[in-house]
Amino acid sequence: MKVTIVGCSGSFPGPDSPASCYLVEAEGFRMLLDFGSGSLGALQRHIGLYDVDAICLSHLHADHCLDICGYHVARTYGPAAPYPRIPVHAPADAPRRLAAAYGMPEEPGLESAFAFSALSPGRFSVGPFEITAGLVNHPVEAYGFRVTHGGVTLAYSGDTGECDELVRLAEGADLLLCEASFLEAPDLTPDLHLTGRQAAAHAAKAEVGRLVLTHLVPWNDSARVLEEAAGGGFDGPIELAAGGAEYSLA
Ligand SMILES: [Zn+2]
Ligand SMILES: [Zn+2]
């Protein structure tokens, strides 16, 4: 399984990275986890514009889903259109919300390009991947994902505050892509996001192989996020996500 960080900026794009988008590949199949603001541009550095086979959206905040709208244009009106519809696994409200974001009536919405399936907690298959979706701790319906292929496992937190379900999803994963949006402070909003220290504490409980801190908010000093993560009790390697970074899991 190959994982490419297309975008890792938290909440909005930064100068060096779009918002959340991760390309996961195996057996020639290409799946996106999230498709946040600006990521459609950077995606084209890694694969062809029409090479996406499936999309999973963790939740419907703009920084995780909004580039579906631009991609609808590409797949509906591109030079060889119509392109095959691709599956999109997303919260149930996605067809309505994304049609509204595009400026389209709900019928037909974005259905010419995408076949939407409503996520619910549990297991499903996407191409060669076995995926487990679990509800995480965020103010809207939001999922984390566990993606397994060929005996290796990637876990992705989506956006979450402290959350036992994230530990379950990540249990024994080779790589945990975990959000670390907040810096430690006495008055942090609960049930919204994690600090680096909290991300590392989840990684330690789940006994993952490697922790990559992501959803890095541009106004934070990311060196401090990494420093705080070092105090979270996780013994394995910890690093900051960076746009364009690739991980080969085997
Ligand atoms: Zn976010
Ligand atoms: Zn969010």
Side-chain angles (χ1 to χ4, degrees):
M1 187 192 306
K2 182 177 161 195
V3 181
T4 303
I5 301 194
V6 179
C8 57
S9 188
S11 304
F12 54 91
D16 300 318
S17 175
S20 296
C21 181
Y22 308 93
L23 170 63
V24 186
E25 299 174 78
E27 298 180 30
F29 191 92
R30 290 150 168 160
M31 173 175 74
L32 299 183
L33 298 180
D34 284 342
F35 208 174
S37 330
S39 59
L40 176 57
L43 178 67
Q44 295 167 71
R45 295 180 197 151
H46 304 292
I47 59 173
L49 181 58
Y50 296 104
D51 292 345
V52 177
D53 296 303
I55 300 168
C56 295
L57 300 178
S58 65
H59 66 299
L60 299 178
H61 281 156
D63 59 316
H64 296 260
C65 67
L66 217 51
D67 274 22
I68 279 264
C69 293
Y71 200 41
H72 177 268
V73 176
R75 293 196 77 94
T76 304
Y77 304 108
Y83 296 84
R85 292 165 80 228
I86 55 176
V88 178
H89 300 267
D93 210 18
R96 183 185 71 80
R97 290 274 308 281
L98 294 169
Y102 186 99
M104 177 102 80
E106 193 176 345
E107 297 290 335
L110 308 185
E111 292 285 338
S112 62
F114 305 116
F116 287 95
S117 299
L119 282 171
S120 58
R123 292 175 72 158
F124 57 103
S125 298
V126 176
F129 300 109
E130 268 302 311
I131 301 182
T132 304
L135 283 167
V136 292
N137 184 11
H138 202 52
V140 298
E141 181 184 356
Y143 294 87
F145 297 116
R146 178 184 180 88
V147 180
T148 297
H149 173 267
V152 296
T153 297
L154 163 72
Y156 170 48
S157 65
D159 282 6
T160 186
E162 291 181 290
C163 179
D164 291 341
E165 181 63 15
L166 175 57
V167 176
R168 280 191 288 273
L169 289 170
E171 195 176 349
D174 298 273
L175 171 63
L176 170 59
L177 279 172
C178 190
E179 75 122 285
S181 309
F182 284 157
L183 293 172
E184 294 285 328
D187 54 349
L188 290 177
T189 309
D191 309 321
L192 182 62
H193 288 299
L194 296 171
T195 65
R197 182 189 59 76
Q198 291 169 333
H202 285 70
K205 272 192 204 161
E207 300 185 329
V208 304
R210 172 187 291 261
L211 171 62
V212 174
L213 302 166
T214 192
H215 202 272
L216 303 168
V217 182
W219 61 55
N220 284 343
D221 174 1
S222 47
R224 220 180 115 195
V225 176
L226 187 60
E227 265 172 43
E228 291 183 355
F234 177 62
D235 293 337
I238 307 177
E239 63 201 90
L240 295 171
E246 295 179 358
Y247 298 88
S248 286
L249 309 185

